[in-house]
Amino acid sequence: MKTIVLLAAFVIAGCNKGASVVNQPGESKNATSSSAATESTKSGSSDSSLPVTDAVAFRDRLLELARNAKFDAQASTSYKNVEAIRQAWQNAYPGLKFTLFKDQAAAPDTVSVGDAFLIARANYDQLLAFAVADTKGGCAAGVAAIPAKSEYKVSEEKVPTVFKAIEMPGGKTCSGDVAGENYKP
């Protein structure tokens, strides 16, 4: 049984596009095995804005950074532009961490976000939904979206053009997954 669990962990880690075995110059990627598994680049750095004390203001700043990220319009896959967003966030907040999976809860120093644009349940928009939590228990969420080509047709575009706040329901996990479920075009 332990072998199966270990094998599953290796497979999951291998499928995570953000996971890296090779360190970039001046940066390191670590995956922790705590209950809120996270990945962090430039570990050991800290930012005066972390931990987050105002989730709404921090979400708005992350949306602004996402809007201005250095996207690759010619990218063969949209997940490369997810990395552009995450890198823009990381450059502004070097101590910021990301959950390993989008259904994990955000924390005051950890954004709950996936590693790919996923098709919305409400229509065919492609979403990178995220959630942030603050030290007072507040939660705020946002989305970078690639609008659908038509009502039932996914766009071939790889760059998000819609950046908006998501209304989060009370009593739910503060996560990118819940944010995506509450997306309204």
Side-chain angles (χ1 to χ4, degrees), residues 1-159:
M1 185 63 169
K2 288 181 182 178
T3 305
I4 292 171
V5 172
L6 276 173
L7 181 58
F10 285 122
V11 169
I12 290 169
C15 293
N16 182 0
K17 305 279 188 282
S20 177
V21 177
V22 179
N23 294 337
Q24 299 294 326
E27 123 179 7
S28 67
K29 291 203 177 204
N30 300 319
T32 64
S33 60
S34 67
S35 61
T38 59
E39 62 183 53
S40 171
T41 59
K42 299 181 185 175
S43 60
S45 299
S46 64
D47 187 280
S48 61
S49 299
L50 297 174
V52 174
T53 57
D54 182 344
V56 172
F58 194 69
R59 182 260 333 265
D60 292 346
R61 177 69 176 129
L62 293 182
L63 284 170
E64 178 185 333
L65 290 166
R67 184 178 294 111
N68 295 313
K70 295 177 182 170
F71 295 114
D72 178 359
Q74 305 303 314
S76 58
T77 57
S78 61
Y79 79 81
K80 289 184 180 182
N81 286 322
V82 170
E83 285 303 314
I85 292 171
R86 291 168 69 134
Q87 189 61 51
W89 292 348
Q90 202 74 75
N91 289 342
Y93 303 99
L96 187 63
K97 297 181 276 186
F98 305 109
T99 56
L100 191 56
F101 302 106
K102 67 183 177 77
D103 63 348
Q104 292 175 302
D109 66 345
T110 306
V111 176
S112 176
V113 64
D115 61 0
F117 284 92
L118 301 176
I119 298 172
R121 294 177 181 135
N123 63 8
Y124 282 73
D125 288 355
Q126 297 171 65
L127 309 177
L128 178 66
F130 66 93
V132 297
D134 63 31
T135 56
K136 297 172 246 162
C139 177
V143 65
I146 302 170
K149 187 170 187 172
S150 63
E151 188 176 353
Y152 297 105
K153 183 147 173 80
V154 174
S155 173
E156 296 296 320
E157 298 298 319
K158 305 296 182 222
V159 176

